[in-house]
């Protein structure tokens, strides 16, 4: 791959599709009966997953199939992996060798071992016997080989290292700090393969229940033609602006990020059209590739799908799906706004020409796009009211009536689409580029929005499970794929409806095949990551990692976060985003929360998980292994390493944002009302654009160094107003520990107090500290103290603590303290909320300084640079 890009040769369309297949769905595509068999198997897998997610699953599927759905899911993935992915570069591409058939069958059988021998395993209490352990070991070896083929060697190597640690953790070769007693083969295999702690754990369960449906939804939506429609609309809206192809690439990639969870597929799908056009208006090959990489990779942070991480966060963090995507929404949106602004500044700096001869105002364009998205959001939200009215009128048949109304809406929108020609992909290398006119093409794909509305409605309004929501949206896509061609033919007065219907059936089958093949890697990644998670739970290495990270960082939270970010980047260089997120969050999420509490910073768990996820995504960009950068260089003909470095520079805000929302959780809209949420959105948008201007060295005109520094500082103040206000007015006042109960009674209801608890660690005996946040509820001092569950033993000025009851709010947090050691656990300090001016007042001087810089730059900017936004 790098050979092609280093020579400056852009790959052909066929070579690019082979590149995507090799990385995402398997490079081997045998013909004849074997190819048909694999296609049928992929369709069967997709249909099985759809039935499993349906409301009728309990009727259509036997109970033991539902109970063992994870095993069946993995069996399909392993079998197809050995069939679709060659073992080596020299392995045959057009037929499957006998050894691959043997491994495919053996892998699928052992994956189904828990299904075939379910009763035997239940009778033995989930513990492996001598036969089980050898089957389990063979299963792990085959799983690692399938993962090596589908995901590259890194995933298999890391999982193998963790597995070796399980067996040889007591060896003198293992450093003292992470040494443990080791486990027998029987115990390890029982944990990893027989129980739901390892391979068949939460991650594979999420892949089975939710992720498959969303990947299939994306594949079907793309097969219906939505990907091309979104790209055309983006180019129609933005293509004629300065740097328009790059701006369209950003918006188009954000839209196709909904369809594709793969950075590489996203780069190739949109990049084959956008990169040549970007080069045409003045971007270098590397810059064009870098813009596409930054756009495509960031598609994974966009709700509602976010790769597969959103569904994993539901399980790992223990909050609802709606809460996850609410917290992830603002950083994703402002990140994309910043990327559009980066592209704009590049175009202005280079005085790039525009494409076409239409004069378009960027202000009107942005206003029009904002109006469209606001209208779409209002439609998704407002549809609940007529639905409630219909349910109230005919409660028994409401489901059928609503389905009929959706189909009527689809037919009406399809009739509109039939009035304009079908959208064909454009040739970006044509001598004259005619960019589409939105007013002429928007009708052609309005009906593609219906499945998305159905998905968002069930997720956000009805708050159904992600799997059920995706099921209903997928059912609508089934109907669209089967009927869009014959209905269009009918509306256009054409007579070949039978052929059109046949083409629709072919599209549906191909969409089912694509969805299944795209899931092979994700299924194997989640299963293999389960070995790493299983190692953490079996050995307790997570606690050791906390001690190790604390030692290396010296207890400094910023340094620790940098280390976690670097770990995500390094692991992510060889792992898919989903697997990287599972591994790093399993190892480090609890560590960050614990060490944050010891530093006096209460970090919500969701913030840490998003932090890990953002850095895992960055690994697709970062040289020397950033796979998306290689894919973009293959399209552009540029240098892959240079493309990666420029892409990393363009993605700086993706690096900065996680640090910001760890310390300012308002950005994640945690405990924020509507009014404050709107203010945070406006200020955060200004802050990210100012940060972008500061790092790009251009605001209204070329910035001087001190102006760039000032812009970055202004962005920091807008993102972290509390940092400044806390130094003007401390947010807490100290209270003597002996006066805690009295202060508890005097505190205002709804506020909170912070307690620092000090005492010996249960494992090491060394004195450590942690911070507790005590919310102030109703009642007097005694009632409030009882509600905390803390058992205080005052002795003069010293307040000792007894072990809290098992059910108390802080039992889990304090369980790492040794309450029975010689040194007591004590209440070291108490802080009560102090009166403080609103931190938002800090915005005023920051915005005033921004206005001053704008005034100074405007005064010296050449006249022709005024209003270059068009």
């Amino acid at each position: 791959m790098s050979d092609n890009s280093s020579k400056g040769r852009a790959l052909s369309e066929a070579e690019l599709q082979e590149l995507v297949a090799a990385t995402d769905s398997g490079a081997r595509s045998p013909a004849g009966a074997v190819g048909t068999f694999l296609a049928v198997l992929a369709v069967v897998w997709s249909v099985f997953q759809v039935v499993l997610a349906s409301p009728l699953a309990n009727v259509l599927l036997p109970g033991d199939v539902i109970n063992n759905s994870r095993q069946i899911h993995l069996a399909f993935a392993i079998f197809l992996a050995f069939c679709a992915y060659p073992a080596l570069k020299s392995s045959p591409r057009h037929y499957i060798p006998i050894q691959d058939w043997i491994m495919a069958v053996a892998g699928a059988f052992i994956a189904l071992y828990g299904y075939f021998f379910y009763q035997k395993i239940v009778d033995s209490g989930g513990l492996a016997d001598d036969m089980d352990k050898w089957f389990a070991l063979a299963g792990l070896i085959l799983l690692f080989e399938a993962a090596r083929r589908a995901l590259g060697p890194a995933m298999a190597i890391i999982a193998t290292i963790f597995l070796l640690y399980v067996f040889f953790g007591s060896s003198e070769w293992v450093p003292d700090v992470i040494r443990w007693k080791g486990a027998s083969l029987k115990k390890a295999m029982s944990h990893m393969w027989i129980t739901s702690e390892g391979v068949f754990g939460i991650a594979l369960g999420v892949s089975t229940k939710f992720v498959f449906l969303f990947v299939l939804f994306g594949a079907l939506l793309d097969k219906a033609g939505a990907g091309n429609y979104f790209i055309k609309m983006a180019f129609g809206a933005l293509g004629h602006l300065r740097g328009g192809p790059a701006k369209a690439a950003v918006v188009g990639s954000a839209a196709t990020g909904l369809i594709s969870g793969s950075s590489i597929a996203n780069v190739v799908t949109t990049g084959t059209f956008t990169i040549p056009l970007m080069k045409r208006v003045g971007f270098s090959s590397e810059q064009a590739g870098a813009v596409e990489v930054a756009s495509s990779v960031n598609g994974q942070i966009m709700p509602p799908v976010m790769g597969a991480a959103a569904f994993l966060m539901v399980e790992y963090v223990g909050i609802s799906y709606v809460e996850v995507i609410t917290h992830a929404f603002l950083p994703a949106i402002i990140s994309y706004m910043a990327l559009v602004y980066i592209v704009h500044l590049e175009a202005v700096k280079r005085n790039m020409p525009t494409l076409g001869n239409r004069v378009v105002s960027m202000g009107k364009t942005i206003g029009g796009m904002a109006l469209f998205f606001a209208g779409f959001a209002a439609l998704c939200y407002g549809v609940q009211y007529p639905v409630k009215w219909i349910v109230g009128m005919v409660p028994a048949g409401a489901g059928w009536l609503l389905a009929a109304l959706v189909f009527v809406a689809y037919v009406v929108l399809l009739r509109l689409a039939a009035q304009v020609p079908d959208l064909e992909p454009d040739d970006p290398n044509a001598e004259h580029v005619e960019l589409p006119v939105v007013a002429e093409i928007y009708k052609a794909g309005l009906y593609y929005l219906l499945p998305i509305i159905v998905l968002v409605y069930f997720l956000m309004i009805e708050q159904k499970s992600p799997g059920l929501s995706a099921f209903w949206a997928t059912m609508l896509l089934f109907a669209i794929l089967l009927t869009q061609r014959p209905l269009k033919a009918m509306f256009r007065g054409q007579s070949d409806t039978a052929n059109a219907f046949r083409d629709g059936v072919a599209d549906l089958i191909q969409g089912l095949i694509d969805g299944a093949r795209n899931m092979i890697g994700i299924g194997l990644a989640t299963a293999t990551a389960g070995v790493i998670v299983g190692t953490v739970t079996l050995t307790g290495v997570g606690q050791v990692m906390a001690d190790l990270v604390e030692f290396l960082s010296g207890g400094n939270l910023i340094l620790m976060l940098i280390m976690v970010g670097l770990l995500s980047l390094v692991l992510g260089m060889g792992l898919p985003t989903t697997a990287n997120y599972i591994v790093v969050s399993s190892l480090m999420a609890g560590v960050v929360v614990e060490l944050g509490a010891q530093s006096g910073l209460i970090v919500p768990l969701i913030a840490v998980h998003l932090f890990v996820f953002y850095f895992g995504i960055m690994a697709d960009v970062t040289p020397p292994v950033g796979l998306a950068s290689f894919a973009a260089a293959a399209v552009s003909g540029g240098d892959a390493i240079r493309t990666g470095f420029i892409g990393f520079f363009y993605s700086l805000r993706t690096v900065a944002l996680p640090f910001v929302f760890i310390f300012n959780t308002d950005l994640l809209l945690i405990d924020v009302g509507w009014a404050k949420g709107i203010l945070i959105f406006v200020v955060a948008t200004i802050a990210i654009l100012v940060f972008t201007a500061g790092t790009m060295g251009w605001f209204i005109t070329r910035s001087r160094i001190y102006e760039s520094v000032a812009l970055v500082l202004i962005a920091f103040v807008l993102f972290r107003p509390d940092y400044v206000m806390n130094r003007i007015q401390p947010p807490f006042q100290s209270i003597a520990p002996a006066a805690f109960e009295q202060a508890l009674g005097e505190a205002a209801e709804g506020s909170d107090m912070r307690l620092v608890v000090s005492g010996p660690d249960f494992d090491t005996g060394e004195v450590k500290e942690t911070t507790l946040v005590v919310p102030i509820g109703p009642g007097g001092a005694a009632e409030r103290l009882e509600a905390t569950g803390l058992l205080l033993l005052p002795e003069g000025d010293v307040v000792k603590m007894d072990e809290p009851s098992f059910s108390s709010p802080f039992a889990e947090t304090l369980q790492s303290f040794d309450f029975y050691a010689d040194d007591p656990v004590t209440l070291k300090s108490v802080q009560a909320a102090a009166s403080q001016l609103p931190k938002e007042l800090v915005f005023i001087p920051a915005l005033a300084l921004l206005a001053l810089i704008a005034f100074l730059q405007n005064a010296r900017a050449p006249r022709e640079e005024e209003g270059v936004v068009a």
Side-chain angles (χ1 to χ4, degrees), residues 645-707:
F645 278 116
I646 297 172
F648 186 84
F649 175 71
Y650 287 165
S651 302
L652 276 177
R653 78 248 179 264
T654 313
V655 177
L657 274 173
F659 285 97
V660 173
F661 61 60
I662 284 282
F663 291 95
N664 179 13
T665 56
D666 285 354
L667 276 179
L668 302 180
L669 303 179
I670 295 175
D671 298 327
V672 167
W674 276 101
K676 189 176 180 183
I678 292 169
L679 175 66
I680 290 167
F681 176 75
V682 171
V683 173
T685 302
I686 296 170
I688 200 75
L689 297 181
V690 171
F691 175 80
T692 301
T695 54
M696 293 291 289
W698 191 287
F699 185 32
I700 291 172
T701 187
R702 192 174 301 279
S703 297
R704 291 169 179 160
I705 291 177
Y706 63 85
E707 289 174 334

Side-chain angles (χ1 to χ4, degrees), residues 521-764:
I522 297 175
L524 294 174
T526 51
T528 313
V531 173
I532 297 161
V533 176
T535 301
V536 173
T537 57
L538 179 62
T539 65
V541 73
Q543 183 58 45
V544 177
M545 288 291 290
D547 297 336
L548 182 62
V549 170
E550 185 177 15
F551 171 74
L552 292 174
S553 64
N556 183 297
L557 188 62
I558 293 285
L559 192 56
M560 182 191 60
L561 288 171
I562 291 171
M563 289 172 62
V564 173
L566 288 173
L567 177 64
S568 296
L569 279 178
V570 171
L571 284 177
M573 286 179 185
L575 301 186
T577 308
T578 306
N580 181 16
Y581 162 71
I582 295 167
V583 173
V584 182
S585 63
S586 301
L587 288 172
M588 304 307 303
V591 177
V592 175
V593 172
E594 183 179 334
L595 295 187
Q598 291 181 24
S599 307
L601 178 72
I602 306 303
V603 184
L605 195 53
I606 182 66
V608 184
H609 280 262
L610 286 171
F611 180 94
V612 169
F613 181 55
Y614 268 57
F615 273 94
I617 284 172
M618 285 302 300
D620 275 350
V621 183
T622 312
V625 195
L627 295 177
S629 300
F630 278 99
V635 178
S636 71
D639 179 74
I641 301 296
R642 195 153 178 268
T643 300
F645 278 116
I646 297 172
F648 186 84
F649 175 71
Y650 287 165
S651 302
L652 276 177
R653 78 248 179 264
T654 313
V655 177
L657 274 173
F659 285 97
V660 173
F661 61 60
I662 284 282
F663 291 95
N664 179 13
T665 56
D666 285 354
L667 276 179
L668 302 180
L669 303 179
I670 295 175
D671 298 327
V672 167
W674 276 101
K676 189 176 180 183
I678 292 169
L679 175 66
I680 290 167
F681 176 75
V682 171
V683 173
T685 302
I686 296 170
I688 200 75
L689 297 181
V690 171
F691 175 80
T692 301
T695 54
M696 293 291 289
W698 191 287
F699 185 32
I700 291 172
T701 187
R702 192 174 301 279
S703 297
R704 291 169 179 160
I705 291 177
Y706 63 85
E707 289 174 334
S708 291
V709 172
L711 288 170
V712 173
L713 287 175
I714 290 167
F716 175 77
V717 171
L718 293 176
F719 274 132
R720 289 288 316 278
D722 56 313
Y723 182 85
V724 178
M725 185 56 75
N726 290 350
R727 273 138 193 84
I728 299 170
Q729 284 185 313
F732 295 100
Q733 58 181 353
S734 295
I735 294 168
F740 168 57
E741 189 170 352
Q742 180 185 346
L744 196 62
E746 295 170 353
E749 186 176 340
S751 64
D752 56 51
M753 299 178 76
R754 297 193 172 209
L755 315 180
V756 176
V757 177
S758 175
D761 183 89
F762 189 84
D763 295 316
T764 65

Side-chain angles (χ1 to χ4, degrees), residues 40 51 73 120 136 281 324 352 404 470 475 531-532 545 652 798:
V40 169
V51 173
H73 181 80
K120 170 177 170 290
V281 297
V324 168
M352 291 180 181
M475 283 294 98
V531 173
I532 297 161
M545 288 291 290
L652 276 177
V798 177

